[in-house]
Amino acid sequence: MSDDQEIFDGVPNQHDGKDAAIVAELVSHGKGSLWPYSTLSESQQILRHQVLRMDAYSKLQTQWLGRLEAMVARHWPELTDTLKLSSVTIQSLLATYGSAGRLKPIANRGSASEKHYQDVIANEIVFGIKRN
């Protein structure tokens, strides 16, 4: 089609209006043909829409997890040592406490051991048990 562009009006540039005019010119000379078009059934259209919607949400989730990963790596790097960043446990932990500084006083109520720290996370976040 690039040769036709210059032949059509003597100017070697491309834009939608010129492309449409060239296609119309070719069709008027019998160089075009119709192709069969069939619509999808309603259930197929709904399924296609939902798949596209899920794909869009998946891309958004990936973008936000990347942002969250950067913030966590800077401010709380040990958080992702044992769990994936996309886990509900980490997301609940971040939503509830926000930072390691706000969680450590709670974890240090009984003993300062690493086991106790893990027990606090398991009890308060995974099972939703609040200790007094």
Side-chain angles (χ1 to χ4, degrees), residues 12-29:
N13 65 358
Q14 179 181 0
H15 53 80
D16 291 344
K18 184 187 277 189
D19 289 343
I22 291 170
V23 170
E25 182 77 19
L26 290 171
V27 170
S28 71
H29 291 301

Side-chain angles (χ1 to χ4, degrees), residues 2-18:
S2 62
D3 293 337
D4 288 336
Q5 289 174 357
E6 192 167 348
I7 293 169
F8 187 71
D9 64 358
V11 181
N13 65 358
Q14 179 181 0
H15 53 80
D16 291 344
K18 184 187 277 189

